[in-house]
Amino acid sequence: MKLEKTTFNNYVQENVFDTIEKYNLINPDERIMIGVSGGKDSILTLHMLHKFKFEKNMNFEIEAVCIDEGIKGYREEGIKTAKENCKKLDIPLTVYSFKNEWGYDLDDISDIYKSTCMPCGVYRRYLLNKISSDKNCDKIATGHNLDDEIQSFLMTFARNDQNKFPKFSPRLEKIHENMVPRIKPLWKLPEKDVGIWCVLNDIPIHNEECPYSVTSLRSEVKLLLNKIEEKEKGTKRNIFKSFEQTFNIQQKDVKLNVCEKCGQPTAISPCKACEITEEIKNLIAG
C-alpha cells in the first residue's frame, strides 16, 4: 500500500500541534531553545516548531543549540546536518562542545565508565540548561518521541528511581530560577513515524547510531520493546497510556539547590556534572 505524502504530513503535523496546544507548551513572546543533534527527532522538532510559529501566527523566538560531545567520525555529520536545516529555516544555531567546557572530548574519557552514555547524558543536559539559561530562554524543546518516553519510563521503573517519575510529561515546570523547563512536542509521536516523515519530505538528517549507544541500558530496552511490538502490535501505545494515566506526580514537589562548585541548579551538591568532572580529573592526574 502506497503511503500518501499529504495525508501522512497532515497526521504528523496534527499530532505535534495537538500536543503543543493541549499541554500549552509554547506561549506568545517566549524564547524557545531547541536541542538539535542533527538526528531525525530533533530535526523534525525544529521543522514543526518553525511551522507552528508561522501557521498559528504566534509571536515567539526560536533558537537552536548543537552539543558537540567530541565523537570522532560521528558528531561531525550531525553538526553539518544541524547547520543545514537551521540555515534553511533561518534559525540561529549555537554549537558548543565538551572540549569548550571541560577541556576534553567524550572520546578521551570513553574507557573510564562502563557505559559512556552516563557521563555523556549528564554533560549534555548540563550544557543544554546552561546555554539556554545564559541566552535567557524560557524553555528547551527536545526531540523525545513516544518510544523514548516508554524506554525512559521502563528504565526508571526498573531502577525505582522515583525522583525521575515527574519527568514523564510533555511539559516540565520551572522548579528553579536557573533551571530552564523542557518541552517535548513529539511526546505522542512514534519513532517510526518520525523517520518516515523525514524520508517522505527529503529532509537531510544524520541517520547513524552513536557508536557508544550499544553500551547503554536504553539500547537493550529499545530492542526488547521492538521485539515485543512485532509480536503484539499496540504494546508500546498501551504502555504509554498506562504511565500517562497512572504516574501523575507533581513536579513542584521536587526541590533543587545550587551546586557549590558551578552554581547550576541541582538536587544534591556538588551536581553530577561536577562530580564526574572531579572523578575524571583525578583519574587523568593519577
PDB file of all heavy atoms in Angstrom, residues 84-111:
ATOM      1  N   GLU A  84      22.726  22.780   8.286  1.00  0.00           N
ATOM      2  CA  GLU A  84      21.999  22.824   7.013  1.00  0.00           C
ATOM      3  C   GLU A  84      20.513  23.120   7.232  1.00  0.00           C
ATOM      4  O   GLU A  84      19.922  23.955   6.543  1.00  0.00           O
ATOM      5  CB  GLU A  84      22.166  21.484   6.285  1.00  0.00           C
ATOM      6  CG  GLU A  84      21.570  21.450   4.906  1.00  0.00           C
ATOM      7  CD  GLU A  84      21.846  20.130   4.193  1.00  0.00           C
ATOM      8  OE1 GLU A  84      22.655  19.325   4.707  1.00  0.00           O
ATOM      9  OE2 GLU A  84      21.240  19.900   3.128  1.00  0.00           O
ATOM     10  N   ASN A  85      19.902  22.436   8.200  1.00  0.00           N
ATOM     11  CA  ASN A  85      18.483  22.635   8.466  1.00  0.00           C
ATOM     12  C   ASN A  85      18.205  23.998   9.091  1.00  0.00           C
ATOM     13  O   ASN A  85      17.214  24.660   8.756  1.00  0.00           O
ATOM     14  CB  ASN A  85      17.951  21.521   9.367  1.00  0.00           C
ATOM     15  CG  ASN A  85      17.657  20.240   8.620  1.00  0.00           C
ATOM     16  OD1 ASN A  85      16.587  20.064   8.043  1.00  0.00           O
ATOM     17  ND2 ASN A  85      18.628  19.330   8.610  1.00  0.00           N
ATOM     18  N   CYS A  86      19.067  24.422   9.999  1.00  0.00           N
ATOM     19  CA  CYS A  86      18.871  25.729  10.645  1.00  0.00           C
ATOM     20  C   CYS A  86      19.027  26.875   9.641  1.00  0.00           C
ATOM     21  O   CYS A  86      18.278  27.858   9.686  1.00  0.00           O
ATOM     22  CB  CYS A  86      19.848  25.905  11.805  1.00  0.00           C
ATOM     23  SG  CYS A  86      19.427  24.933  13.274  1.00  0.00           S
ATOM     24  N   LYS A  87      19.973  26.721   8.731  1.00  0.00           N
ATOM     25  CA  LYS A  87      20.165  27.739   7.701  1.00  0.00           C
ATOM     26  C   LYS A  87      18.942  27.825   6.799  1.00  0.00           C
ATOM     27  O   LYS A  87      18.480  28.923   6.440  1.00  0.00           O
ATOM     28  CB  LYS A  87      21.414  27.420   6.871  1.00  0.00           C
ATOM     29  CG  LYS A  87      21.728  28.462   5.821  1.00  0.00           C
ATOM     30  CD  LYS A  87      23.006  28.109   5.058  1.00  0.00           C
ATOM     31  CE  LYS A  87      23.310  29.173   3.999  1.00  0.00           C
ATOM     32  NZ  LYS A  87      24.565  28.842   3.251  1.00  0.00           N
ATOM     33  N   LYS A  88      18.391  26.672   6.435  1.00  0.00           N
ATOM     34  CA  LYS A  88      17.214  26.626   5.568  1.00  0.00           C
ATOM     35  C   LYS A  88      16.015  27.316   6.210  1.00  0.00           C
ATOM     36  O   LYS A  88      15.236  27.997   5.531  1.00  0.00           O
ATOM     37  CB  LYS A  88      16.865  25.164   5.260  1.00  0.00           C
ATOM     38  CG  LYS A  88      15.646  24.995   4.368  1.00  0.00           C
ATOM     39  CD  LYS A  88      15.366  23.524   4.120  1.00  0.00           C
ATOM     40  CE  LYS A  88      14.129  23.355   3.232  1.00  0.00           C
ATOM     41  NZ  LYS A  88      13.834  21.910   2.982  1.00  0.00           N
ATOM     42  N   LEU A  89      15.880  27.179   7.532  1.00  0.00           N
ATOM     43  CA  LEU A  89      14.742  27.749   8.246  1.00  0.00           C
ATOM     44  C   LEU A  89      15.061  29.114   8.855  1.00  0.00           C
ATOM     45  O   LEU A  89      14.213  29.707   9.523  1.00  0.00           O
ATOM     46  CB  LEU A  89      14.287  26.783   9.352  1.00  0.00           C
ATOM     47  CG  LEU A  89      13.832  25.396   8.883  1.00  0.00           C
ATOM     48  CD1 LEU A  89      13.515  24.511  10.085  1.00  0.00           C
ATOM     49  CD2 LEU A  89      12.624  25.497   7.963  1.00  0.00           C
ATOM     50  N   ASP A  90      16.294  29.588   8.647  1.00  0.00           N
ATOM     51  CA  ASP A  90      16.737  30.880   9.186  1.00  0.00           C
ATOM     52  C   ASP A  90      16.603  30.917  10.709  1.00  0.00           C
ATOM     53  O   ASP A  90      16.085  31.869  11.291  1.00  0.00           O
ATOM     54  CB  ASP A  90      15.931  32.027   8.558  1.00  0.00           C
ATOM     55  CG  ASP A  90      16.586  33.386   8.802  1.00  0.00           C
ATOM     56  OD1 ASP A  90      17.813  33.428   8.986  1.00  0.00           O
ATOM     57  OD2 ASP A  90      15.861  34.397   8.833  1.00  0.00           O
ATOM     58  N   ILE A  91      17.100  29.853  11.343  1.00  0.00           N
ATOM     59  CA  ILE A  91      17.094  29.750  12.810  1.00  0.00           C
ATOM     60  C   ILE A  91      18.534  29.813  13.307  1.00  0.00           C
ATOM     61  O   ILE A  91      19.374  29.027  12.867  1.00  0.00           O
ATOM     62  CB  ILE A  91      16.434  28.431  13.268  1.00  0.00           C
ATOM     63  CG1 ILE A  91      14.943  28.431  12.903  1.00  0.00           C
ATOM     64  CG2 ILE A  91      16.614  28.222  14.768  1.00  0.00           C
ATOM     65  CD1 ILE A  91      14.238  27.114  13.177  1.00  0.00           C
ATOM     66  N   PRO A  92      18.860  30.753  14.197  1.00  0.00           N
ATOM     67  CA  PRO A  92      20.234  30.860  14.698  1.00  0.00           C
ATOM     68  C   PRO A  92      20.656  29.612  15.471  1.00  0.00           C
ATOM     69  O   PRO A  92      19.886  29.076  16.265  1.00  0.00           O
ATOM     70  CB  PRO A  92      20.187  32.092  15.613  1.00  0.00           C
ATOM     71  CG  PRO A  92      18.750  32.285  15.942  1.00  0.00           C
ATOM     72  CD  PRO A  92      17.964  31.770  14.776  1.00  0.00           C
ATOM     73  N   LEU A  93      21.863  29.159  15.221  1.00  0.00           N
ATOM     74  CA  LEU A  93      22.380  27.928  15.828  1.00  0.00           C
ATOM     75  C   LEU A  93      23.679  28.195  16.578  1.00  0.00           C
ATOM     76  O   LEU A  93      24.585  28.841  16.062  1.00  0.00           O
ATOM     77  CB  LEU A  93      22.625  26.874  14.749  1.00  0.00           C
ATOM     78  CG  LEU A  93      23.341  25.587  15.182  1.00  0.00           C
ATOM     79  CD1 LEU A  93      22.455  24.764  16.117  1.00  0.00           C
ATOM     80  CD2 LEU A  93      23.747  24.766  13.949  1.00  0.00           C
ATOM     81  N   THR A  94      23.753  27.693  17.800  1.00  0.00           N
ATOM     82  CA  THR A  94      24.982  27.729  18.589  1.00  0.00           C
ATOM     83  C   THR A  94      25.546  26.316  18.679  1.00  0.00           C
ATOM     84  O   THR A  94      24.820  25.382  19.009  1.00  0.00           O
ATOM     85  CB  THR A  94      24.714  28.243  20.021  1.00  0.00           C
ATOM     86  OG1 THR A  94      24.216  29.580  19.966  1.00  0.00           O
ATOM     87  CG2 THR A  94      25.988  28.218  20.863  1.00  0.00           C
ATOM     88  N   VAL A  95      26.817  26.156  18.343  1.00  0.00           N
ATOM     89  CA  VAL A  95      27.491  24.863  18.504  1.00  0.00           C
ATOM     90  C   VAL A  95      28.483  25.003  19.651  1.00  0.00           C
ATOM     91  O   VAL A  95      29.333  25.893  19.643  1.00  0.00           O
ATOM     92  CB  VAL A  95      28.228  24.437  17.212  1.00  0.00           C
ATOM     93  CG1 VAL A  95      28.932  23.102  17.430  1.00  0.00           C
ATOM     94  CG2 VAL A  95      27.250  24.337  16.043  1.00  0.00           C
ATOM     95  N   TYR A  96      28.350  24.139  20.639  1.00  0.00           N
ATOM     96  CA  TYR A  96      29.220  24.220  21.817  1.00  0.00           C
ATOM     97  C   TYR A  96      29.655  22.808  22.188  1.00  0.00           C
ATOM     98  O   TYR A  96      28.860  21.861  22.124  1.00  0.00           O
ATOM     99  CB  TYR A  96      28.470  24.862  22.987  1.00  0.00           C
ATOM    100  CG  TYR A  96      29.365  25.339  24.099  1.00  0.00           C
ATOM    101  CD1 TYR A  96      30.086  26.523  23.983  1.00  0.00           C
ATOM    102  CD2 TYR A  96      29.510  24.601  25.265  1.00  0.00           C
ATOM    103  CE1 TYR A  96      30.910  26.966  25.000  1.00  0.00           C
ATOM    104  CE2 TYR A  96      30.333  25.033  26.294  1.00  0.00           C
ATOM    105  CZ  TYR A  96      31.039  26.221  26.155  1.00  0.00           C
ATOM    106  OH  TYR A  96      31.865  26.655  27.167  1.00  0.00           O
ATOM    107  N   SER A  97      30.906  22.654  22.589  1.00  0.00           N
ATOM    108  CA  SER A  97      31.460  21.311  22.782  1.00  0.00           C
ATOM    109  C   SER A  97      31.861  21.021  24.225  1.00  0.00           C
ATOM    110  O   SER A  97      32.048  21.929  25.033  1.00  0.00           O
ATOM    111  CB  SER A  97      32.693  21.138  21.889  1.00  0.00           C
ATOM    112  OG  SER A  97      33.766  21.941  22.366  1.00  0.00           O
ATOM    113  N   PHE A  98      31.975  19.740  24.510  1.00  0.00           N
ATOM    114  CA  PHE A  98      32.529  19.301  25.792  1.00  0.00           C
ATOM    115  C   PHE A  98      33.930  19.891  25.955  1.00  0.00           C
ATOM    116  O   PHE A  98      34.332  20.277  27.046  1.00  0.00           O
ATOM    117  CB  PHE A  98      32.634  17.770  25.844  1.00  0.00           C
ATOM    118  CG  PHE A  98      31.317  17.051  26.026  1.00  0.00           C
ATOM    119  CD1 PHE A  98      30.109  17.716  25.940  1.00  0.00           C
ATOM    120  CD2 PHE A  98      31.295  15.683  26.295  1.00  0.00           C
ATOM    121  CE1 PHE A  98      28.910  17.053  26.106  1.00  0.00           C
ATOM    122  CE2 PHE A  98      30.099  15.005  26.472  1.00  0.00           C
ATOM    123  CZ  PHE A  98      28.898  15.688  26.373  1.00  0.00           C
ATOM    124  N   LYS A  99      34.663  19.936  24.839  1.00  0.00           N
ATOM    125  CA  LYS A  99      36.027  20.451  24.863  1.00  0.00           C
ATOM    126  C   LYS A  99      36.042  21.909  25.300  1.00  0.00           C
ATOM    127  O   LYS A  99      36.913  22.328  26.088  1.00  0.00           O
ATOM    128  CB  LYS A  99      36.644  20.327  23.465  1.00  0.00           C
ATOM    129  CG  LYS A  99      38.147  20.513  23.423  1.00  0.00           C
ATOM    130  CD  LYS A  99      38.841  19.183  23.616  1.00  0.00           C
ATOM    131  CE  LYS A  99      40.315  19.267  23.275  1.00  0.00           C
ATOM    132  NZ  LYS A  99      40.988  17.954  23.432  1.00  0.00           N
ATOM    133  N   ASN A 100      35.083  22.697  24.818  1.00  0.00           N
ATOM    134  CA  ASN A 100      34.981  24.105  25.216  1.00  0.00           C
ATOM    135  C   ASN A 100      34.816  24.229  26.722  1.00  0.00           C
ATOM    136  O   ASN A 100      35.420  25.097  27.363  1.00  0.00           O
ATOM    137  CB  ASN A 100      33.778  24.781  24.547  1.00  0.00           C
ATOM    138  CG  ASN A 100      33.907  24.903  23.045  1.00  0.00           C
ATOM    139  OD1 ASN A 100      32.942  24.724  22.324  1.00  0.00           O
ATOM    140  ND2 ASN A 100      35.101  25.190  22.554  1.00  0.00           N
ATOM    141  N   GLU A 101      33.977  23.368  27.280  1.00  0.00           N
ATOM    142  CA  GLU A 101      33.583  23.497  28.682  1.00  0.00           C
ATOM    143  C   GLU A 101      34.553  22.818  29.647  1.00  0.00           C
ATOM    144  O   GLU A 101      34.887  23.377  30.699  1.00  0.00           O
ATOM    145  CB  GLU A 101      32.182  22.910  28.873  1.00  0.00           C
ATOM    146  CG  GLU A 101      31.598  23.093  30.271  1.00  0.00           C
ATOM    147  CD  GLU A 101      31.205  24.529  30.568  1.00  0.00           C
ATOM    148  OE1 GLU A 101      31.121  25.342  29.616  1.00  0.00           O
ATOM    149  OE2 GLU A 101      30.970  24.850  31.741  1.00  0.00           O
ATOM    150  N   TRP A 102      35.010  21.603  29.289  1.00  0.00           N
ATOM    151  CA  TRP A 102      35.799  20.815  30.253  1.00  0.00           C
ATOM    152  C   TRP A 102      37.225  20.500  29.800  1.00  0.00           C
ATOM    153  O   TRP A 102      38.023  19.996  30.584  1.00  0.00           O
ATOM    154  CB  TRP A 102      35.067  19.510  30.569  1.00  0.00           C
ATOM    155  CG  TRP A 102      33.790  19.756  31.331  1.00  0.00           C
ATOM    156  CD1 TRP A 102      33.671  20.142  32.636  1.00  0.00           C
ATOM    157  CD2 TRP A 102      32.456  19.676  30.817  1.00  0.00           C
ATOM    158  NE1 TRP A 102      32.342  20.295  32.963  1.00  0.00           N
ATOM    159  CE2 TRP A 102      31.561  20.015  31.878  1.00  0.00           C
ATOM    160  CE3 TRP A 102      31.898  19.340  29.584  1.00  0.00           C
ATOM    161  CZ2 TRP A 102      30.181  20.027  31.719  1.00  0.00           C
ATOM    162  CZ3 TRP A 102      30.527  19.351  29.430  1.00  0.00           C
ATOM    163  CH2 TRP A 102      29.680  19.694  30.488  1.00  0.00           C
ATOM    164  N   GLY A 103      37.535  20.783  28.541  1.00  0.00           N
ATOM    165  CA  GLY A 103      38.902  20.573  28.078  1.00  0.00           C
ATOM    166  C   GLY A 103      39.180  19.186  27.540  1.00  0.00           C
ATOM    167  O   GLY A 103      40.323  18.876  27.198  1.00  0.00           O
ATOM    168  N   TYR A 104      38.155  18.341  27.440  1.00  0.00           N
ATOM    169  CA  TYR A 104      38.345  17.010  26.854  1.00  0.00           C
ATOM    170  C   TYR A 104      37.075  16.589  26.123  1.00  0.00           C
ATOM    171  O   TYR A 104      35.979  17.065  26.415  1.00  0.00           O
ATOM    172  CB  TYR A 104      38.714  15.973  27.914  1.00  0.00           C
ATOM    173  CG  TYR A 104      37.884  16.013  29.182  1.00  0.00           C
ATOM    174  CD1 TYR A 104      36.582  15.497  29.217  1.00  0.00           C
ATOM    175  CD2 TYR A 104      38.402  16.564  30.352  1.00  0.00           C
ATOM    176  CE1 TYR A 104      35.829  15.540  30.376  1.00  0.00           C
ATOM    177  CE2 TYR A 104      37.638  16.615  31.518  1.00  0.00           C
ATOM    178  CZ  TYR A 104      36.363  16.089  31.524  1.00  0.00           C
ATOM    179  OH  TYR A 104      35.610  16.133  32.679  1.00  0.00           O
ATOM    180  N   ASP A 105      37.257  15.709  25.136  1.00  0.00           N
ATOM    181  CA  ASP A 105      36.147  15.166  24.369  1.00  0.00           C
ATOM    182  C   ASP A 105      35.609  13.907  25.029  1.00  0.00           C
ATOM    183  O   ASP A 105      36.262  13.315  25.900  1.00  0.00           O
ATOM    184  CB  ASP A 105      36.597  14.814  22.949  1.00  0.00           C
ATOM    185  CG  ASP A 105      36.928  16.041  22.112  1.00  0.00           C
ATOM    186  OD1 ASP A 105      36.251  17.071  22.299  1.00  0.00           O
ATOM    187  OD2 ASP A 105      37.852  15.957  21.278  1.00  0.00           O
ATOM    188  N   LEU A 106      34.435  13.462  24.577  1.00  0.00           N
ATOM    189  CA  LEU A 106      33.882  12.210  25.084  1.00  0.00           C
ATOM    190  C   LEU A 106      34.800  11.038  24.735  1.00  0.00           C
ATOM    191  O   LEU A 106      34.958  10.107  25.536  1.00  0.00           O
ATOM    192  CB  LEU A 106      32.485  11.972  24.501  1.00  0.00           C
ATOM    193  CG  LEU A 106      31.701  10.799  25.098  1.00  0.00           C
ATOM    194  CD1 LEU A 106      31.390  11.041  26.572  1.00  0.00           C
ATOM    195  CD2 LEU A 106      30.412  10.557  24.325  1.00  0.00           C
ATOM    196  N   ASP A 107      35.406  11.078  23.564  1.00  0.00           N
ATOM    197  CA  ASP A 107      36.338  10.014  23.167  1.00  0.00           C
ATOM    198  C   ASP A 107      37.488   9.870  24.175  1.00  0.00           C
ATOM    199  O   ASP A 107      37.988   8.767  24.410  1.00  0.00           O
ATOM    200  CB  ASP A 107      36.929  10.296  21.784  1.00  0.00           C
ATOM    201  CG  ASP A 107      35.946  10.008  20.662  1.00  0.00           C
ATOM    202  OD1 ASP A 107      34.938   9.320  20.907  1.00  0.00           O
ATOM    203  OD2 ASP A 107      36.182  10.473  19.527  1.00  0.00           O
ATOM    204  N   ASP A 108      37.887  10.990  24.765  1.00  0.00           N
ATOM    205  CA  ASP A 108      39.014  10.975  25.701  1.00  0.00           C
ATOM    206  C   ASP A 108      38.683  10.251  27.000  1.00  0.00           C
ATOM    207  O   ASP A 108      39.585   9.782  27.702  1.00  0.00           O
ATOM    208  CB  ASP A 108      39.453  12.410  26.039  1.00  0.00           C
ATOM    209  CG  ASP A 108      39.941  13.173  24.818  1.00  0.00           C
ATOM    210  OD1 ASP A 108      40.503  12.527  23.906  1.00  0.00           O
ATOM    211  OD2 ASP A 108      39.751  14.401  24.778  1.00  0.00           O
ATOM    212  N   ILE A 109      37.394  10.171  27.344  1.00  0.00           N
ATOM    213  CA  ILE A 109      37.002   9.574  28.628  1.00  0.00           C
ATOM    214  C   ILE A 109      36.136   8.325  28.442  1.00  0.00           C
ATOM    215  O   ILE A 109      35.545   7.822  29.399  1.00  0.00           O
ATOM    216  CB  ILE A 109      36.243  10.592  29.503  1.00  0.00           C
ATOM    217  CG1 ILE A 109      34.950  11.049  28.810  1.00  0.00           C
ATOM    218  CG2 ILE A 109      37.125  11.800  29.811  1.00  0.00           C
ATOM    219  CD1 ILE A 109      34.039  11.890  29.690  1.00  0.00           C
ATOM    220  N   SER A 110      36.085   7.818  27.218  1.00  0.00           N
ATOM    221  CA  SER A 110      35.158   6.728  26.896  1.00  0.00           C
ATOM    222  C   SER A 110      35.468   5.417  27.611  1.00  0.00           C
ATOM    223  O   SER A 110      34.585   4.575  27.782  1.00  0.00           O
ATOM    224  CB  SER A 110      35.142   6.487  25.383  1.00  0.00           C
ATOM    225  OG  SER A 110      36.422   6.086  24.927  1.00  0.00           O
ATOM    226  N   ASP A 111      36.715   5.240  28.029  1.00  0.00           N
ATOM    227  CA  ASP A 111      37.067   3.973  28.677  1.00  0.00           C
ATOM    228  C   ASP A 111      37.030   4.056  30.206  1.00  0.00           C
ATOM    229  O   ASP A 111      37.384   3.096  30.900  1.00  0.00           O
ATOM    230  CB  ASP A 111      38.462   3.522  28.230  1.00  0.00           C
ATOM    231  CG  ASP A 111      39.548   4.557  28.546  1.00  0.00           C
ATOM    232  OD1 ASP A 111      39.188   5.703  28.906  1.00  0.00           O
ATOM    233  OD2 ASP A 111      40.744   4.214  28.447  1.00  0.00           O
TER     234      ASP A 111
END
